[in-house]
Each structure stands twice: as C-alpha cells, then as structure tokens.
Amino acid sequence: MSYLWIVLRRSRQTLFLLLAVSFFSGLAFAQQSLTATLEGVITDPNGAVIPSAKVAARNSQTGQVRTSQVDESGLYRLPLLQPGVYELTVSAANFTEAKRSGITLTVGQKLNLDIALTIGGSNETINISAEAPIIETTRTNISSTVSDQQVATLPIRGRNFLDLVSLTPNVVADSRQGDLSFGGQRGTFNSLQIDGVDNNNSFFGQALGRTGSGRAPYQFSNDAVQEFQVNTNSFSAEFGRAAGGSINVITKSGTNDWHGTAFEFFRDQSLNAKRPNFFAARNGLVPVREAYHFNQFGGLIGGPIKKDKAFIFFNYDGQRNTRPVIMALGVAAPATPAAQAGLQRLLPFVNNYTLGFNQDVYLTKFDWQLDQVNRLSVRHNGQRFTGRNLENSGATSAQEHSGNSNVVTDTYTFQLNSAFAGNFLNEFRAQVARDNEPGVANSDNAEGNILQGGVTALVIGRNSFSPRYTNENKYQFIDNIVYTNGRHSLKAGFDIILEEIENFFPGNFGGRYFFQATDGYAEFANHFDQTNAGFRRVTRFQQSFAGDGTSGALTNPNFNDFGFFVQDDWRAKSNLTVNAGLRYDVQVLKRPATANPSATLAAAGLSTNTLNQDRNNLAPRLGVSWSPKEKLVVRANVGLFFGRTPAIALGTAHSNNGINVIGVTLNNVQLPFVYPARFPSLDAIRALGGTLAVPDIFIFDKNYQQPYTTQASLNLEYALTNSFAVGAAYLHVKGTNLSRTRDLNLGTPVTTTIAVAGESSLSFLRHPGATAPARPIAGFGRISSFEGSADSSYNALTLTFRKRFAQNFSFDANYVWSKVLDNVPDQTSVVVGGGDDAKQAQQSFLLRDDRGLGGADTPHRFVMNGLWRLNYFDNLNRGARAILNDWELSGILQLTSGQPFNEFLGVDLNNDGNARTDRTPTRARNSLRGERVETFDARLTKSFFLTEKVKLQLIGELFNVFNHTNVNAYQSTLYRTTGLNTATALLTRRTDFLDPRGVALDSQRIGQLAIKLIF
C-alpha cells in the first residue's frame, strides 16, 4: 500500500481535482459496466404516474433482492444488478400488486420496463407474463451482447470464446495473429475486461496470456463464461483505455441449485477433409490428411454453500494437442565431395518432431451475500500452458533450434458491492494478476544457418532470441459509488493500475553462424576440416553482449495507469435519454534510464532517454437515445477515446540504445574455434580484430502523444415483433496520433529510374548510398522513432437482424459495408531486419505515399449465427419422442471480402535498409485484394434426458463444412530484379504473379466429436 501511496502522491494534483469533481457530483461508479440496469415508469390504468409505488427486483437464481422507491415522475431505477433472471414486484396503496417473472438481464443491458397497476386491494397480486422488450430504448451506445445461449451452443473451433467476438458488426481479424480490429483500428487499441477488471497483457498489447496468438488457446474456459458485451463504437465515459473496442466478460457464479457439466471434445485427422486439392495438384502430390490429434476435456460444478446466502463455482478445462513438423532440407546439396560432407554432418538434424499445445485452466469463484447491504465476490483463475517446440519451427528449422513457449497466468479478483439505499450504492474492486511467458531453448549451441545459393537449407543450434521471458504483474484498485436522483443518474469513478514488467530478450547473445558462401554446404564442412585452407572460415558471425554497467537485454518497462470519469445519465423525457460524460486517462511511462552520450545524436536533437508524458487526455462523450414510437429507438453518439502505449515499445527503447546491448559482426573471418562455440566476452572478439556493429537504436519522439480516436455513430433499431428486431447504423472512426515506428537516419531521397524489360522505365525515390543507405547521423544504423504521426479513417454502414429465442429458434445476422484508409499505423515494430520491418511505411520522409487502404479494410462482410431446436414431436409415443425430439442444429456463416495486400518487389529498391516495404513503383499501397473468404461451421446436438435434471449430449461439429479453400497468401511480386545497385539494374515480369502461395488454417474441413453430461 505504501507503493500505491507514493504513486498517488506523484499525481496528487490530478487525483485531487478528479475526486473533487466526483464529490460535488455526489457519486462514483464502476469503470466497466459488468452489471445491468432495470428501469421504467409506474402508472395507473389511466396512464397517470404513481409516485408512491415501491419496486423490488429479486434474482431468481441467488435470492438477492434490490428495492427502489418510485420518484415524483413515476420513474424507478435499479442499477448495478448482477446479470441473471429476475422477478420484479411493484406495489402501491390502493393498487393490486403486480409481479413480472422471467426477466433476463444481460451484461451492460439497460432495460426499460414500464408497469401499469390496476386498482384493487393490497393483498391481491397479478402475475404479468408479457415478454420484456427486445430493444433497449434508453441505451445510448452501440454494443452487442453474446448471450449464454450462444456461448453454450455455437460451434467454436478451439473453444476460445473470444472467437465469438467476430460475430458482432465492425469487427474483423487484425493482421497480427490473434488480434481483432474494431472500426479499422489495430488490435493493440482494444481492451478486454473480465468481471470488470483489466485482463490485458500490457507488454504485447493483447489479451492476458496472449491467447489466440498461435500459442496458448485461451485463458478462460468457454464453459466458465456466462456472457459478454462487445462495445464497438462511442461507448460511454465509464469505458476507457480503448481507442478501438471494449469487450466486457462475465464469468459464471454458483446459484441456489447445484448444477454441473462434464465434457470431452475430440479431433483426429480421420475426421478431417484432405488438404486443398489445388495446392496438391500444383505440387504433383496426392491430397492427404495432415496428422493431427486434439483433445479438450473438463467440467464445472456450482451451487449453494447456504441458500440465498453463499455460493461456490469451480471449473476445470484441459487441452492436449499435437501437430507434426515434417523436416526437409530447403535446397539440395551439390554433388561435390565437400558439399556432400557438409550434408552428412547435417542429416542427423533432419528429424521430424512434434509441436505440443498442452494447457490446464482452473477457475474458482465464491459469492457471499454478507447481509442485506453487502455482497462479496472472490475469484481465482489459473492458466498453465506448455507449448512444446513453439519457439521456432518449420521444415528447415531443426528441433534443437526450437524450445518450449510456456504461459503461466493467475488472476485474483475481489469485489464488494454495497447497496446502502435504493439510490445510493458503493462498489469496490481489486485485482492482482500475473502473466509469465518464458521461452526455453532446446540447445545451448550457437545458431548455425546453412544457406545454398541464398536459400536456407537448414538452421540448427540455439534460437537467436532464446532463452527469454516476459513477466508482468498487475495491481488494480477501483472504488466507486452510484447515486440516482429523480431523472438523473450521476456517475463518476476512478481506476488505478500499477504495472510491473520484466522483459529479457537476448537477441544474438548465443552467437550466430552464417555459412552462405557460393557453396554453403561445403563451407560448413570445410569449417571443421583442419586439412583444408579454409578451416574455421565462415561468411558471417554475429554475437551480442551486455554493455558494461548496464542491465543488457533485461528491462523493466513499468508504467502506471490512472483513469477517471464523471457522467450524467439523464432521462430528460420518458422517450429521451441523454448520456453526457467526461473522461480523463493518463499512462505514466517509466523513462529509459540510459542516455547514449553520442555527440552526433545530441547535434541532431535526439536523446535515448527522453520520454514525453502525455497528461492532457480529456475525452468528452455524448450519447442520445430517442424513442419516437414504442418499438423504435434512434441513437446518436460522439466522443474521444484514448489508447495505450504497449510496454514492448517502451522496453525496446530501454535496451536498444547502443549502450545496453552491443553487437559485433565478423564478415569472411577465420574463427579461433569451430562450430558451435562462441566468444566468451566482448574483449575476446575485439582481440581478433572484430569491430563493433553499427548500432540500430530506438527512441521516443520528444513530442510523443498517446493515440486516440474520434468516434461518431447514428443508429436506428426497430422491433418488428416482440422477438424480432432490425437495425441500421452509420459508424465513423477517425484515428489521430496513431503510433508508428519511423527511421530518422536517412538522407533526402532523389528521383531515380529503373529499366523494365519490354516496358517503359519506372521512376522511384531512392536514398543516397552505393549499396546501403548513407546515414547522416554518423555512428548509427537505423534510428527508429516511436511517434504518433499516423492517422486513419473508418466509415461503415451496418444492417442488423436479430431474433431472440422463441418458437424453437433464434438467429443474429449483420451486414457491414465499410472502408478503412490509413498510412500504416502500428505499435509493435520493435525488431530491425525481421518481420517487423513489414509493419513500417515505405518512405520514412514521404508518409503521404503510404496513404491507402488499411490492412483491415473489408468492404463487405456478412455474418450470421443461429440455433434451431427440433422439438416438434410431443404428440408421439415415448420411444418416438426420445428419438425424434431434443435435436439442436446451430451454426455460424461468415462471408467476407478478401484482405488487401501490396505488390512488393522483394528488394530494397529505395535503399533505406528495409526491403520488406518496397512496392512496385507507381503502385499504391494495398492495391491488390485477395479472394473472398467463406466459412460455415455447424454443430448438431442430440440430448438424452437420463432423469428430469440430468441429460447427456452427443455433439458433432464440422468447421468449414463445404471445405472452401480460403487463400491468404499470393505471389505478390510482379517483377524479378537483377543487377540492383548497378547501372544494369533491370526488372523482368514474372509469369507466376498472383499465384496462390498459402491458405488459412480454416481452409480444411475439420470434424470434432463431443460428449457432455449436464446436471
């Protein structure tokens, strides 16, 4: 607590100001709306309000009761209700008591339920059986709720409940695996909340445990999730730290009835379709099924410790999954004796191995109704994932070049809700979370890269960045109050998150050999042959060391988050609600400790330990909901939304400053040892005459600002029937100060031409330099600046169709017509020379050249999901009913435009040291588009009722039922380039341009069987 007090004192002026505003507003409220609100007007038979009425809402599952007194306008409000099924009782003197049961409230819902009382005795009760309205006429923001029924019945490949987020409008897959793009924004701008607390890995800018990123499959079991709300646009001021979307998840709790589930899901290659035929035919192969084995199993149990008083819920979920890696040399060895000798040395490494995805997830939750005022909830969720051989894999990567990628997460949450009076409530929440992600090395040998003719034949030895780890500890504190007064519901709140992060990323510390002469196989063999003059010779050797007196590759990019808001939810009229709020967010980043003393850096006005703390992030929000007719609602919203800076950028600036990590490169050198040895120290390599590599450094722009979006929306929703609603919305999202990484150490480019065989020459901009860019700031290679110079715009028309479950079926469908324009924003380009280079702009000093379609641009997207319960044979005999009844068919259909991509050259034509961004001259960014994506996933369930309360379910699922091939990679290089950096440079048109080169993981029909026991 003393550490917390120190942090609060450092921000005491801001904290005092916001708390003062909260005090004079008379309230504070939860940061994330993990609850629901029930409100309405109580009238007599003539429509006149009854200000003396009393209202009580009782949770049918836990017995919790909340009461409220109707005000002079006849309005009642019951905020902070736990999602669940309720019974509403309304009473008043000289009127018959009214009771309405079966009211289902979902997370974030704001349900308006008007009740008309009849004149009669106070000892009489009338039960009202009408359904609750399907549309929320007083909710101002645009959001979608994925219900408990959808979570439980829809087919989810891998059982990661976050995959269901893509069912909602304006959400598509981001270019970084496992991320989702909301409103055209990068996935790092999203926020995931579990039970109202932050569940984000703040280093990588993803969900805790980096679930869905190709390693750990999920952090919370699908069976532990009750439901979740997806806020896609213009959400109220109580939501923060998200310039994209906000996902608010509620986990299950125990109830007054004991209930449980045991399950097993199984996949095997025998249930799958064969590999896509056209790829097999292209390579002259017979289509085959990929070896594959997958098991998910577990269960849950929940019930009362004491009825209406205390409850417990426990869930376990396990996964065992393996995939084979089929090894093959990337290029054949020449028939020369030396090359064949090298081949013989490598063959022992060419052994197939297995990838493993094994995980155990646990959740325990206790809920206590301490008294009539206080309700306590405590939860622990644990995740243990072992990713065998996931550090690096592929046909040319030996098993010793890999290692285990593990994940250990634990979240502990504490929540105390206090209802002091019908209009005055207090809420306190706290969390302690850890996310440890170590990467293990299978070998301590130096990395060995054997190349033949520029093509990798095999990579052996220790992975260049393993062993590594990223550990994050999160401490969160929230203390809130809600106060309702007549037509006003005044809200405010604060949320403090303290992030402690330790990141160790020893790139090249283990040493790297590159055998890539004209004959790389021979060079590898000769390196060991003491009778050969080329003994110990290697084309290139690299190794890095920690700088003297520094932490080297170990960094602590800590930061603290403070968020505050005030808000008034004003029921201006019975059919008009106004939500006005103001939010303030500040992310206090730890400043890099090491200053590079370079005079050339100082002369350029650059510093490695400068970090601007952006503290002026005020975000006003305004939302209006108007219901001109009983079944029609019109919503309009506008607001500012600030994002976060992921700590991976901060950590990179802490270590990549030219001082912490010192790299050495030796070219065409005869080493004093043979592979796999490496130098013991920097002095040893200097003694050989080695020179320090020119460092590539990362800095923060001195005027760095936090990214934010301006969001606006107009939405109409109409209830055609009590169970069917349609809607239309226009959404606009404008991104400003969006983060990017830009190279500052480049000269002014000049116009140059290159010849094209059989075509006219093409003009392009080229940076000065013979075979590499000239660097104006001497002593450095790339100087990569984290800055907020990118922007974006997203415009979309959305149509929605929603039928809640009735007459044995339900469905949700939406169509989105949208366009994204941006100039390459990205917050995670932190490694020079690798895949991160592709995340940058083509021209560092001509950013308008990269203005084009965003990577998430998806002009057309249609998504539909539904459930059909086949219970139509109740009139038959018992045996026939057992066979023909109790079938369920559910499915998800997604039809999406292909993603845009670039026409690249594959060479560094503009001479900026980055060959991954060079497009064909005159081609706009993302000028090409892939084929449409089509998937249909289906589930068929048969239930057998063993007793009245126990049933057995047999489940069959097919993912990509029609085995549609979804191509996700193409030969995007139009020209072959020869003679680059010479007067004879020439582009020659390729004949395989736009040929398919890869398919998505869901391009093969996959079958899954399951069995569930439910009681």
Side-chain angles (χ1 to χ4, degrees):
M1 187 61 69
S2 59
Y3 178 48
L4 173 62
W5 174 244
I6 293 172
V7 174
L8 293 178
R9 287 190 60 189
R10 291 176 179 174
S11 300
R12 58 186 180 276
Q13 294 177 335
T14 301
L15 182 62
F16 177 80
L17 173 63
L18 270 293
L19 289 177
V21 172
S22 298
F23 176 79
F24 288 111
S25 297
L27 61 108
F29 186 70
Q31 277 307 111
Q32 298 293 339
S33 183
L34 74 156
T35 57
T37 297
L38 183 61
E39 63 182 25
V41 177
I42 308 302
T43 60
D44 64 17
N46 298 318
V49 300
I50 307 176
S52 60
K54 295 182 179 179
V55 177
R58 180 180 182 274
N59 189 310
S60 304
Q61 298 164 308
T62 65
Q64 183 183 11
V65 178
R66 286 275 305 282
T67 61
S68 177
Q69 178 73 44
V70 174
D71 67 14
E72 66 278 0
S73 63
L75 178 68
Y76 73 92
R77 265 192 175 135
L78 293 166
L80 296 185
L81 294 174
Q82 297 298 315
V85 180
Y86 283 82
E87 178 184 79
L88 183 69
T89 302
V90 183
S91 60
N94 302 319
F95 289 91
T96 301
E97 182 181 79
K99 185 173 291 186
R100 190 162 183 169
S101 304
I103 303 169
T104 300
L105 297 180
T106 59
V107 57
Q109 185 178 19
K110 193 178 181 186
L111 181 62
N112 185 75
L113 199 60
D114 298 335
I115 303 291
L117 299 182
T118 59
I119 297 174
S122 58
N123 59 347
E124 299 179 72
T125 300
I126 294 180
N127 291 312
I128 303 173
S129 59
E131 281 189 300
I134 189 172
I135 60 174
E136 300 169 52
T137 57
T138 59
R139 174 173 55 84
T140 60
N141 65 298
I142 295 179
S143 65
S144 301
T145 299
V146 178
S147 67
D148 56 346
Q149 185 182 69
Q150 290 172 297
V151 173
T153 63
L154 290 177
I156 311 174
R157 182 183 178 187
R159 291 173 44 79
N160 181 5
F161 72 91
L162 289 177
D163 290 345
L164 294 177
V165 175
S166 61
L167 301 182
T168 60
N170 307 292
V171 181
V172 299
D174 193 22
S175 57
R176 186 167 65 153
Q177 185 177 356
D179 287 6
L180 295 170
S181 172
F182 284 71
Q185 302 304 306
R186 300 308 306 269
T188 51
F189 287 160
N190 302 330
S191 178
L192 173 63
Q193 309 291 317
I194 306 286
D195 292 331
V197 294
D198 187 273
N199 201 73
N200 301 289
N201 181 298
S202 300
F203 184 84
F204 293 103
Q206 295 180 303
L208 214 66
R210 302 187 71 195
T211 56
S213 62
R215 294 176 181 174
Y218 44 82
Q219 190 210 357
F220 281 79
S221 169
N222 183 60
D223 284 74
V225 173
Q226 179 173 326
E227 60 191 17
F228 57 94
Q229 183 187 50
V230 182
N231 294 277
T232 56
N233 191 270
S234 297
F235 29 91
S236 61
E238 63 195 78
F239 293 83
R241 305 190 185 103
S246 179
I247 305 167
N248 196 12
V249 181
I250 299 297
T251 60
K252 292 178 180 177
S253 295
T255 66
N256 277 328
D257 295 317
W258 282 101
H259 61 281
T261 301
F263 62 87
E264 161 79 13
F265 285 79
F266 171 75
R267 291 188 224 159
D268 187 79
Q269 66 265 33
S270 61
L271 302 174
N272 300 346
K274 296 179 180 180
R275 278 184 171 276
N277 290 343
F278 81 94
F279 273 112
R282 178 179 300 278
N283 295 295
L285 302 175
V286 176
V288 297
R289 293 185 177 96
E290 178 182 302
Y292 183 65
H293 198 74
F294 185 102
N295 284 89
Q296 287 180 299
F297 49 88
L300 62 87
I301 189 169
I305 299 174
K306 184 177 181 180
K307 188 175 181 180
D308 290 344
K309 189 75 173 178
F311 311 91
I312 186 173
F313 177 85
F314 175 78
N315 164 252
Y316 165 75
D317 193 309
Q319 172 181 291
R320 303 295 182 266
N321 179 11
T322 60
R323 295 179 190 169
V325 175
I326 309 302
M327 291 289 298
L329 293 169
V331 60
T336 64
Q340 290 299 308
L343 174 63
Q344 292 305 311
R345 281 187 172 272
L346 292 176
L347 285 178
F349 297 97
V350 188
N351 296 312
N352 299 339
Y353 57 96
T354 301
L355 306 181
F357 302 80
N358 297 340
Q359 177 167 280
D360 297 293
V361 174
Y362 313 84
L363 182 142
T364 305
K365 190 174 183 181
F366 296 94
D367 295 275
W368 291 274
Q369 188 67 41
L370 301 177
D371 51 37
Q372 292 296 320
V373 173
N374 299 295
R375 183 177 182 83
L376 176 66
S377 180
V378 178
R379 169 177 61 79
H380 166 250
N381 187 81
Q383 174 194 23
R384 304 293 184 268
F385 173 75
T386 301
R388 190 166 70 252
N389 295 322
L390 298 188
E391 283 292 273
N392 200 304
S393 63
T396 60
S397 178
Q399 183 175 4
E400 75 160 7
H401 187 242
S402 188
N404 290 355
S405 299
N406 300 330
V407 178
V408 176
T409 70
D410 286 286
T411 56
Y412 301 87
T413 64
F414 175 93
Q415 179 176 323
L416 179 65
N417 288 347
S418 303
F420 297 114
N423 61 347
F424 183 74
L425 302 97
N426 185 78
E427 183 178 54
F428 172 78
R429 287 201 292 272
Q431 174 185 213
V432 176
R434 69 162 179 163
D435 185 351
N436 294 348
E437 301 193 23
V440 181
N442 282 344
S443 169
D444 192 44
N445 294 336
E447 182 182 272
N449 297 266
I450 295 86
L451 296 91
Q452 185 74 26
V455 178
T456 298
L458 191 66
V459 185
I460 59 177
R462 167 177 153 183
N463 191 301
S464 64
F465 54 80
S466 302
R468 57 164 185 88
Y469 61 85
T470 303
N471 299 337
E472 177 179 352
N473 292 324
K474 185 191 306 286
Y475 307 94
Q476 185 173 16
F477 307 91
I478 306 169
D479 191 27
N480 315 291
I481 305 168
V482 58
Y483 177 73
T484 58
N485 184 12
R487 292 182 176 272
H488 293 269
S489 181
L490 301 171
K491 304 176 183 179
F494 65 87
D495 181 353
I496 300 170
I497 298 179
L498 311 177
E499 294 279 4
E500 295 180 353
I501 300 171
E502 189 172 63
N503 183 59
F504 179 62
F505 192 81
N508 293 349
F509 273 58
R512 301 181 77 187
Y513 290 73
F514 290 86
F515 301 97
Q516 59 184 75
T518 305
D519 189 339
Y521 279 102
E523 183 178 72
F524 183 64
N526 292 339
H527 178 76
F528 301 91
D529 184 2
Q530 299 189 36
T531 65
N532 190 292
F535 172 54
R536 297 178 181 173
R537 183 165 296 281
V538 62
T539 301
R540 187 164 78 253
F541 179 86
Q542 295 176 330
Q543 191 173 346
S544 295
F545 301 87
D548 294 338
T550 73
S551 60
L554 178 64
T555 62
N556 296 100
N558 302 334
F559 66 85
N560 299 319
D561 260 324
F562 301 90
F564 310 85
F565 78 90
V566 292
Q567 179 177 292
D568 183 10
D569 200 39
W570 174 35
R571 188 82 176 258
K573 294 183 178 181
S574 60
N575 66 346
L576 179 65
T577 301
V578 179
N579 184 290
L582 179 67
R583 183 174 181 86
Y584 174 75
D585 283 302
V586 60
Q587 183 183 13
V588 182
L589 303 171
K590 182 180 178 180
R591 179 180 174 182
T594 304
N596 191 306
S598 167
T600 57
L601 274 183
L606 302 178
S607 170
T608 60
N609 69 336
T610 296
L611 181 58
N612 181 50
Q613 302 288 357
D614 184 11
R615 300 177 183 271
N616 60 349
N617 301 330
L618 287 171
R621 316 272 176 88
L622 177 64
V624 177
S625 176
W626 175 48
S627 182
K629 297 175 62 177
E630 181 182 358
K631 296 183 178 181
L632 175 67
V633 61
V634 180
R635 303 184 182 96
N637 295 272
V638 66
L640 296 184
F641 302 81
F642 283 88
R644 295 162 121 180
T645 297
I648 190 171
L650 183 61
T652 302
H654 276 235
S655 61
N656 289 32
N657 48 33
I659 302 295
N660 271 50
V661 176
I662 298 175
V664 179
T665 298
L666 301 172
N667 292 311
N668 295 314
V669 65
Q670 197 158 337
L671 296 174
F673 45 71
V674 297
Y675 177 85
R678 55 180 169 264
F679 288 95
S681 66
L682 185 59
D683 289 338
I685 203 170
R686 281 173 173 159
L688 189 65
T691 58
L692 301 184
V694 176
D696 298 305
I697 65 172
F698 288 79
I699 63 173
F700 271 87
D701 179 66
K702 63 182 178 181
N703 298 314
Y704 181 78
Q705 299 287 309
Q706 293 288 78
Y708 70 91
T709 57
T710 305
Q711 302 184 17
S713 63
L714 178 64
N715 170 245
L716 287 81
E717 192 174 10
Y718 182 71
L720 293 173
T721 69
N722 287 337
S723 61
F724 184 39
V726 296
Y730 166 71
L731 307 177
H732 171 73
V733 181
K734 183 183 184 301
T736 305
N737 289 344
L738 302 185
S739 308
R740 73 154 94 243
T741 305
R742 186 168 70 94
D743 185 3
L744 303 181
N745 200 14
L746 290 168
T748 304
V750 297
T751 301
T752 311
T753 61
I754 188 170
V756 182
E759 303 176 32
S760 300
S761 297
L762 294 176
S763 297
F764 62 97
L765 291 174
R766 180 177 174 82
H767 292 279
T771 58
R775 300 294 185 178
I777 302 175
F780 297 92
R782 288 198 216 174
I783 300 178
S784 299
S785 172
F786 297 121
E787 58 186 34
S789 59
D791 59 76
S792 70
S793 68
Y794 175 83
N795 292 281
L797 173 66
T798 302
L799 303 177
T800 58
F801 311 87
R802 177 165 55 98
K803 184 189 181 301
R804 66 183 173 193
F805 192 79
Q807 296 85 44
N808 281 330
F809 76 99
S810 63
F811 72 84
D812 279 272
N814 63 80
Y815 166 74
V816 180
W817 178 34
S818 64
K819 187 173 185 177
V820 183
L821 293 172
D822 63 33
N823 51 9
V824 206
D826 186 88
Q827 294 188 296
T828 60
S829 181
V830 295
V831 178
V832 169
D836 283 0
D837 279 0
K839 303 174 183 179
Q840 300 183 13
Q842 177 179 242
Q843 300 286 356
S844 287
F845 293 95
L846 189 64
L847 297 177
R848 69 175 182 271
D849 182 59
D850 277 274
R851 184 75 179 178
L853 294 176
D857 182 64
T858 309
H860 304 281
R861 178 170 170 80
F862 176 78
V863 179
M864 180 176 180
N865 71 87
L867 170 67
W868 183 21
R869 188 166 292 162
L870 286 72
N871 279 350
Y872 299 106
F873 305 99
D874 292 336
N875 295 328
L876 301 181
N877 61 58
R878 182 176 180 181
R881 288 199 310 269
I883 296 173
L884 299 177
N885 264 353
D886 302 315
W887 290 85
E888 289 181 354
L889 179 64
S890 62
I892 300 172
L893 173 67
Q894 300 189 58
L895 306 174
T896 305
S897 299
Q899 296 297 297
F901 61 95
N902 284 298
E903 184 179 301
F904 284 125
L905 282 174
V907 295
D908 187 16
L909 190 66
N910 67 359
N911 200 37
D912 65 351
N914 180 2
R916 294 177 181 264
T917 60
D918 290 71
R919 302 189 298 272
T920 300
T922 74
R923 290 290 189 180
R925 177 170 155 262
N926 282 334
S927 59
L928 304 174
R929 185 176 297 278
E931 299 174 4
R932 68 183 182 277
V933 177
E934 302 177 10
T935 60
F936 176 55
D937 304 331
R939 169 189 280 193
L940 181 64
T941 304
K942 170 60 179 171
S943 297
F944 298 91
F945 286 85
L946 306 181
T947 69
E948 184 179 351
K949 293 186 177 181
V950 180
K951 68 178 177 180
L952 181 71
Q953 287 187 336
L954 301 180
I955 301 171
E957 294 178 325
L958 287 178
F959 302 98
N960 192 6
V961 172
F962 301 114
N963 203 32
H964 180 78
T965 299
N966 293 312
V967 180
N968 66 354
Y970 300 84
Q971 172 51 264
S972 59
T973 303
L974 177 60
Y975 297 104
R976 297 185 188 276
T977 309
T978 56
L980 186 65
N981 300 326
T982 69
T984 60
L986 181 67
L987 299 179
T988 305
R989 187 176 288 266
R990 300 178 63 117
T991 58
D992 59 350
F993 180 58
L994 294 185
D995 280 0
R997 285 291 182 268
V999 296
L1001 290 175
D1002 58 5
S1003 286
Q1004 183 184 21
R1005 183 173 59 244
I1006 292 175
Q1008 181 165 269
L1009 300 176
I1011 183 170
K1012 270 191 174 185
L1013 181 67
I1014 303 173
F1015 64 89

